[in-house]
């Protein structure tokens, strides 16, 4: 857990889960000493595609390289978008050079936290949540899942097969659409970034209960991981929790 001028406590954890033989998730937390911002990212290698763990690693590596060559005061929307586009380019070129029939790819949910605002970016189905106990709806998913929706007549339905597909990811195409949003940051808010291995088995009510418990973010991260494992999650699980500075316990 680290602190800097962004006034943020942050912790992360990743687990292979109960059914997979290896972990295709990677995550990144970047808190430069004395920096003005904190960077967090969850990357989930696409299941069923060859070497998804390499794609998620390249995503984290490229964003980290961009962070290390840019003053954290300048970690803005343009910085985050360009870093993710570079990651997409690197993964795509590796797929092309290796003539992969099934290209590797990665979803991404990323955030830059400044003291008074935060920026989020995502492609795929990794998620970003904000929890604020003062809000009418305390827990809000601020990212959007990018999944194709099957249609049957006039009624939409989500089949099991459709639910497990994603319509956007880094590396599978030359260009990728990335959702990018900026929000004001409330001093009371806590935040959660996660791969689908968490929310596929753990209900939002558990997220809200733990994020609103007042426990240190490191403790909340560990308890969310335990809930995911107890739920029998079939996927890799990655979690980052962040919130206001706290007294070590």
């Amino acid at each position: 857990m680290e602190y800097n001028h962004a006034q943020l406590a942050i912790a992360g954890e990743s687990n292979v889960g109960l059914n997979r033989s290896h972990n295709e998730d990677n995550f990144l937390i970047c808190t430069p000493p004395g920096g003005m911002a904190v960077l967090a990212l969850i990357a989930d290698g696409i299941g069923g595609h060859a070497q998804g763990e390499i794609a998620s690693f390249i995503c984290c590596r490229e964003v980290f390289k961009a962070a290390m060559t840019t003053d954290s005061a300048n970690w803005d929307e343009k910085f985050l978008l360009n870093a993710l586009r570079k990651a997409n380019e690197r993964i795509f070129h590796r797929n092309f050079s290796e003539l992969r029939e099934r290209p590797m790819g990665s979803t991404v949910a990323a955030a830059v936290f400044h003291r008074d605002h935060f920026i989020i970016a995502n492609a795929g189905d990794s998620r970003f949540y904000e929890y604020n106990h003062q809000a009418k709806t305390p827990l809000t998913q601020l990212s959007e899942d990018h999944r194709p929706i099957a249609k049957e007549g006039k009624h939409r339905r989500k089949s099991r097969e459709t639910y497990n597909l994603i319509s956007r990811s880094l590396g599978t195409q030359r260009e990728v659409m990335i959702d990018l949003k900026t929000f004001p940051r409330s001093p009371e808010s806590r935040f959660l970034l996660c791969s689908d291995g968490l929310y596929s088995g753990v209900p939002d009510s558990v997220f809200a209960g733990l994020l609103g418990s007042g426990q240190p973010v490191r403790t909340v991260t560990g308890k969310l991981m335990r809930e995911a494992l107890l739920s029998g999650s079939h996927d890799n699980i990655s979690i980052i929790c962040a919130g206001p500075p706290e007294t070590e316990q």
Side-chain angles (χ1 to χ4, degrees):
M1 184 167 57
E2 302 289 345
Y3 305 97
N4 71 1
H5 292 302
Q7 293 293 295
L8 191 81
I10 189 164
E13 189 172 338
S14 187
N15 192 292
V16 69
L18 301 175
N19 294 87
R20 299 292 180 90
S21 60
H22 64 289
N23 194 346
E24 292 187 314
D25 289 1
N26 276 285
F27 74 89
L28 169 68
I29 296 174
C30 189
T31 57
M36 302 304 296
V38 170
L39 172 64
L41 184 152
I42 296 281
D44 180 356
I46 298 175
H49 288 221
Q51 298 181 311
E53 68 277 9
I54 295 178
S56 63
F57 172 77
I58 292 173
C59 176
C60 291
R61 182 191 67 191
E62 292 303 317
V63 174
F64 178 73
K65 286 166 62 177
M68 290 298 95
T69 55
T70 307
D71 189 305
S72 60
N74 297 321
W75 290 357
D76 54 13
E77 286 192 354
K78 182 178 179 181
F79 156 80
L80 189 55
L81 184 60
N82 286 344
L84 292 174
R85 284 176 172 170
K86 176 61 72 172
N88 180 73
E89 178 184 333
R90 293 295 190 192
I91 302 168
F92 178 82
H93 283 171
R94 179 149 180 173
N95 283 325
F96 183 79
S97 65
E98 295 179 0
L99 302 176
R100 291 173 177 265
E101 292 185 8
R102 301 191 67 192
M104 60 182 176
S106 178
T107 72
V108 63
V112 172
F113 299 97
H114 293 269
R115 184 174 293 193
D116 61 352
H117 70 281
F118 61 95
I119 305 161
I120 67 170
N122 79 290
D125 61 356
S126 292
R127 290 184 178 179
F128 181 98
Y129 294 87
E130 179 180 15
Y131 177 87
N132 188 324
H133 67 90
Q134 295 182 341
K136 183 176 180 180
T137 304
L139 183 71
T140 306
Q141 181 185 335
L142 298 182
S143 60
E144 179 182 349
D145 297 342
H146 300 131
R147 295 195 183 101
I149 302 298
K151 293 183 178 181
E152 185 173 330
K154 296 182 180 179
H155 303 285
R156 291 188 173 190
R157 62 179 177 86
K158 288 186 178 180
S159 67
R160 184 178 182 85
E161 294 77 11
T162 302
Y163 185 85
N164 289 329
L165 295 175
I166 58 172
S167 56
R168 295 189 205 174
S169 63
L170 300 186
T172 53
Q173 298 183 40
R174 187 179 297 274
E175 302 289 340
V176 62
M177 291 181 62
I178 296 171
D179 286 353
L180 190 67
K181 306 171 186 175
T182 298
F183 300 90
R185 182 179 158 199
S186 167
E188 295 83 18
S189 287
R190 283 189 157 192
F191 307 96
L192 170 65
L193 294 85
C194 63
S195 61
D196 62 337
L198 178 65
Y199 67 77
S200 62
V202 180
D204 286 359
S205 59
V206 174
F207 298 170
L210 286 171
L211 289 168
S213 67
Q215 299 176 86
V217 293
R218 179 176 289 166
T219 301
V220 173
T221 301
K223 288 187 174 182
L224 284 170
M225 182 63 73
R226 181 175 182 273
E227 290 291 335
L229 293 171
L230 288 174
S231 76
S233 176
H234 294 286
D235 206 348
N236 309 141
I237 310 154
S238 292
I239 304 165
I240 295 174
C241 290
E246 55 202 27
T247 303
E248 291 283 357
Q249 298 183 13

